[in-house]
Amino acid sequence: MLSLNDYLRDAEQAHGHLCAGQVLGVRMAMLGLAKLGIEDPHGKDRKRLVTFVEIDRCATDAISVVTGCRLGKRALKFRDWGKMAATFVDLESGKAIRIAAKESSKKLAREMHPELESKNQQQMLAYREMPADDLFAMQWVKVELLAEEFPGYKGERTVCAQCGEGINFRREVELNGRILCRACAGERYYRPE
Ligand SMILES: [Zn+2]
Ligand SMILES: [Zn+2]
């Protein structure tokens, strides 16, 4: 593992700026890896980890930088719950730890650095210095992953009977005896113009 400063430098590069969320994300991921005993997430341990993130903000990019887990590798799972939290799953040991930023850490950051003007500056500095127990709540958890959720899984592919687009394993839906993609089955987030 790299140092906090090294990861922050990498995170800044990947994300475009350094912010309090990046600091939180880097520390959260470093803590998760340490608790699981994963030392080399980009090297020999790169296939050991799956990470669930519960927010689509700055911290998520930082978590991805530290863990090496990415959406395109199926190793990063997004649950849109609006919470500054992530669960780190060790596929080798079956252990998993969920780490959430404490709401009280914001107030603590204000108290630690009243001399700084902006909230972001206060938090950026305080989140570097704060003991992990003040910053995070931790919990060992169990995560059941289906075969098709593992990074390397390759399965069958089918074609939607309505739009003709290809669908990877088990994302299809059966409706009135037809095999459909989720969009054609009614879950679409877009509509044709
Ligand atoms: Zn940011
Ligand atoms: Zn379709």
Side-chain angles (χ1 to χ4, degrees):
M1 265 212 272
L2 303 177
S3 70
L4 176 62
N5 281 334
D6 287 337
Y7 278 130
L8 285 175
R9 187 204 54 222
D10 292 352
E12 180 178 8
Q13 226 163 43
H15 182 64
H17 63 241
L18 195 61
C19 58
Q22 299 282 102
V23 181
L24 265 187
V26 166
R27 286 204 59 190
M28 190 183 277
M30 288 179 75
L31 184 61
L33 292 175
K35 291 284 172 191
L36 293 170
I38 293 178
E39 285 164 5
D40 191 8
H42 293 263
K44 71 174 169 60
D45 295 328
R46 73 186 181 285
K47 293 187 173 164
R48 256 177 84 177
L49 193 67
V50 162
T51 302
F52 286 76
V53 291
E54 299 182 16
I55 198 161
D56 53 356
R57 297 220 53 217
C58 304
T60 297
D61 279 351
I63 289 169
S64 184
V65 164
V66 175
T67 60
C69 291
R70 290 194 224 132
L71 191 62
K73 289 184 183 169
R74 209 182 289 134
L76 188 73
K77 316 282 189 191
F78 176 47
R79 296 291 181 270
D80 193 3
W81 293 358
K83 294 168 110 178
M84 188 62 91
T87 299
F88 304 89
V89 185
D90 183 352
L91 300 176
E92 210 169 273
S93 67
K95 291 206 294 189
I97 189 157
R98 182 174 180 276
I99 304 178
K102 288 183 175 172
E103 279 300 303
S104 55
S105 65
K106 291 183 186 168
K107 187 166 163 269
L108 193 53
R110 238 183 355 255
E111 290 165 5
M112 283 170 77
H113 290 290
E115 79 284 5
L116 293 175
E117 263 176 38
S118 82
K119 221 166 58 178
N120 188 52
Q121 280 178 323
Q122 289 174 345
Q123 291 176 356
M124 249 168 62
L125 189 56
Y127 291 167
R128 280 175 188 236
E129 301 166 339
M130 219 179 271
D133 286 334
D134 287 334
L135 202 47
F136 300 119
M138 278 175 276
Q139 187 181 26
W140 290 102
V141 295
K142 278 279 165 220
V143 177
E144 311 284 349
L145 284 174
L146 301 172
E148 66 265 30
E149 292 179 295
F150 280 80
Y153 181 82
K154 287 194 180 60
E156 67 282 7
R157 204 170 146 79
T158 186
V159 169
C160 174
Q162 190 156 315
C163 69
E165 291 181 355
I167 314 158
N168 271 6
F169 45 88
R170 289 200 226 162
R171 269 67 167 183
E172 70 271 21
V173 182
E174 199 185 321
L175 194 69
N176 304 325
R178 296 168 80 209
I179 300 296
L180 300 177
C181 72
R182 289 169 72 157
C184 292
E187 284 184 48
R188 68 172 94 221
Y189 61 90
Y190 56 90
R191 60 186 162 77
E193 266 203 310

